[in-house]
Amino acid sequence: MDVKDLLKYTYGLVPIVAGLDKFTNILTDWSQYLGAGLQDTLPFEASTFMMIIGIIEIIAGVLVLVKTKIGAIIVAAWLTLIALVLIFSGHYLDVAVRDLVMAIGAYTLYKLSTD
């Protein structure tokens, strides 16, 4: 398996798994990552919002697997957005740094992809 394939499966499968977990909360309670200010602006429960996020993540992961170049740039942007939300909330800064590093990996996949 070459580096591009390794990145493709990583950035395809991880968002799918994380997206599915938004419905089960087996890995973590995802709503804890929403700042109180953001939760207050939602017209519905935080868990509903996280399920919507989960659907977006599943779609992004599938896109990486079938249309790698466009999927990779979407995942890179998505991870950057998540990191910025966490940075501006002032919480989970370690997760924000991790997501920025993952965004760089997804961007690398974008640059390596030709489709």
Side-chain angles (χ1 to χ4, degrees):
M1 180 178 295
D2 67 3
V3 172
K4 183 183 149 225
D5 287 337
L6 182 61
L7 289 170
K8 176 181 176 177
Y9 292 119
T10 299
Y11 288 99
L13 295 176
V14 169
I16 292 170
V17 169
L20 289 171
D21 196 58
K22 301 297 189 291
F23 294 87
T24 62
N25 290 314
I26 292 171
L27 298 174
T28 190
D29 175 10
W30 293 97
S31 61
Q32 71 179 324
Y33 293 106
L34 294 175
L38 180 56
Q39 285 188 36
D40 292 341
T41 64
L42 294 175
F44 38 73
E45 294 293 321
S47 60
T48 303
F49 180 73
M50 293 313 291
M51 288 180 194
I52 294 167
I53 297 298
I55 292 168
I56 294 168
E57 289 174 341
I58 292 166
I59 292 168
V62 169
L63 268 174
V64 169
L65 295 175
V66 296
K67 291 287 190 181
T68 303
K69 191 162 185 105
I70 191 163
I73 200 68
I74 289 169
V75 169
W78 185 254
L79 288 164
T80 301
L81 179 64
I82 292 168
L84 290 173
V85 168
L86 293 173
I87 289 167
F88 289 124
S89 76
H91 299 289
Y92 303 105
L93 298 178
D94 57 327
V95 176
V97 169
R98 182 208 60 203
D99 283 358
L100 287 173
V101 170
M102 289 174 52
I104 292 167
Y107 181 74
T108 302
L109 176 59
Y110 165 77
K111 294 298 280 182
L112 291 172
S113 297
T114 56
D115 64 348

